[in-house]
Amino acid sequence: RTIKYVGISVPLLYISSLSLAVLLIQKIKFKGFFRAVFYWPTMISFIIVGVTWKWLLGDNFGIVNYLLELWGMEPIRWLTDAIPSNMAVIAATIWSRAGFYMVMFIAGLQSIPDSYYEASEVDGATSVQRFWHITIPLLKPTSFLVLTLSMIDTFKSYALVYSLTEGGPAKATTYLVQTIYEYGFQKYQMGYASALSVILFMIIGVLTFIQFKVSDGGEVQ
């Protein structure tokens, strides 16, 4: 369950934060305001984020289901069905963290010299070609940092998930850190909890090492 959560959340965090950064470095009105709006969720406690999303998606009291019923649609069991509850956790994770990584991408994008884009425009490159052949390669160090931090962040996710679903329904959103907490501080099986903690450390270490090797440590070739 944890691997699935990380495997879906990390790519979506990367895409959403990069998309926001690309949009918010353009010459648009109220650019600073929009940056602040998208960054604001990162300043909220994970527990508050979980409680807020629970208030929005609650089966009997949630605003979303209330609006669906107003429009003549059937309410969705967002937090009491396995697939919707996992979707809710992933959506809340992206909403709360995308702004943080957006700031990193904005810094990376602004560090790319304009001369590369001007030269490619003279050569007749389209905006899509400039993005794939200039922006993405020169963002390699930032991409490496974002992928590594977001992977570690999602692997150790606990407060947001617990305050939103409490690990339910039927353990559908009980991930590794919550399992470590339950065995260590509820069942008092400290040895087993310690073993799980070491396994978590090894998984994160191995995945970070693989990312480091694949991306050559974020170096631009």
Side-chain angles (χ1 to χ4, degrees), residues 113-129:
D114 292 335
S115 57
Y116 290 119
Y117 295 106
E118 292 168 357
S120 65
E121 191 172 355
V122 171
D123 290 337
T126 64
S127 58
V128 174
Q129 290 173 327

Side-chain angles (χ1 to χ4, degrees), residues 68-137:
L68 289 177
E69 290 179 340
L70 282 181
W71 295 333
M73 302 171 65
E74 289 292 326
I76 299 173
R77 298 172 58 189
W78 296 106
L79 304 179
T80 54
D81 200 2
I83 294 177
S85 62
N86 276 281
M87 292 171 57
V89 169
I90 292 169
T93 300
I94 294 169
W95 181 82
S96 65
R97 301 305 293 163
F100 177 74
Y101 302 115
M102 174 197 73
V103 173
M104 294 184 181
F105 276 125
I106 288 176
L109 289 168
Q110 290 177 337
S111 68
I112 299 175
D114 292 335
S115 57
Y116 290 119
Y117 295 106
E118 292 168 357
S120 65
E121 191 172 355
V122 171
D123 290 337
T126 64
S127 58
V128 174
Q129 290 173 327
R130 291 197 295 272
F131 179 78
W132 284 110
H133 297 290
I134 297 176
T135 305
I136 292 297

Side-chain angles (χ1 to χ4, degrees), residues 5-180:
Y5 168 62
V6 174
I8 296 173
S9 298
V10 170
L12 290 178
L13 272 171
Y14 180 89
I15 293 170
S16 59
S17 56
L18 178 57
S19 301
L20 289 173
V22 170
L23 288 173
L24 294 179
I25 63 167
Q26 307 301 321
K27 294 180 180 179
I28 58 175
K29 292 183 178 180
F30 308 112
K31 181 166 58 176
F33 170 77
F34 287 116
R35 287 182 181 181
V37 167
F38 287 114
Y39 183 76
W40 173 73
T42 67
M43 298 185 291
I44 305 175
S45 163
F46 284 133
I47 295 176
I48 301 301
V49 172
V51 171
T52 301
W53 277 76
K54 189 172 186 177
W55 180 63
L56 290 172
L57 300 176
D59 289 355
N60 300 319
F61 57 86
I63 295 175
V64 174
N65 276 341
Y66 173 74
L67 293 175
L68 289 177
E69 290 179 340
L70 282 181
W71 295 333
M73 302 171 65
E74 289 292 326
I76 299 173
R77 298 172 58 189
W78 296 106
L79 304 179
T80 54
D81 200 2
I83 294 177
S85 62
N86 276 281
M87 292 171 57
V89 169
I90 292 169
T93 300
I94 294 169
W95 181 82
S96 65
R97 301 305 293 163
F100 177 74
Y101 302 115
M102 174 197 73
V103 173
M104 294 184 181
F105 276 125
I106 288 176
L109 289 168
Q110 290 177 337
S111 68
I112 299 175
D114 292 335
S115 57
Y116 290 119
Y117 295 106
E118 292 168 357
S120 65
E121 191 172 355
V122 171
D123 290 337
T126 64
S127 58
V128 174
Q129 290 173 327
R130 291 197 295 272
F131 179 78
W132 284 110
H133 297 290
I134 297 176
T135 305
I136 292 297
L138 293 178
L139 273 181
K140 194 174 182 181
T142 307
S143 296
F144 171 73
L145 179 62
V146 168
L147 287 172
T148 302
L149 291 179
S150 60
M151 183 188 67
I152 295 172
D153 205 18
T154 49
F155 253 112
K156 64 184 183 64
S157 180
Y158 170 66
L160 186 154
V161 180
Y162 189 80
S163 59
L164 177 57
T165 64
E166 297 183 12
K171 300 288 185 179
T173 58
T174 299
Y175 304 130
L176 190 52
V177 173
Q178 183 174 342
T179 302
I180 293 171

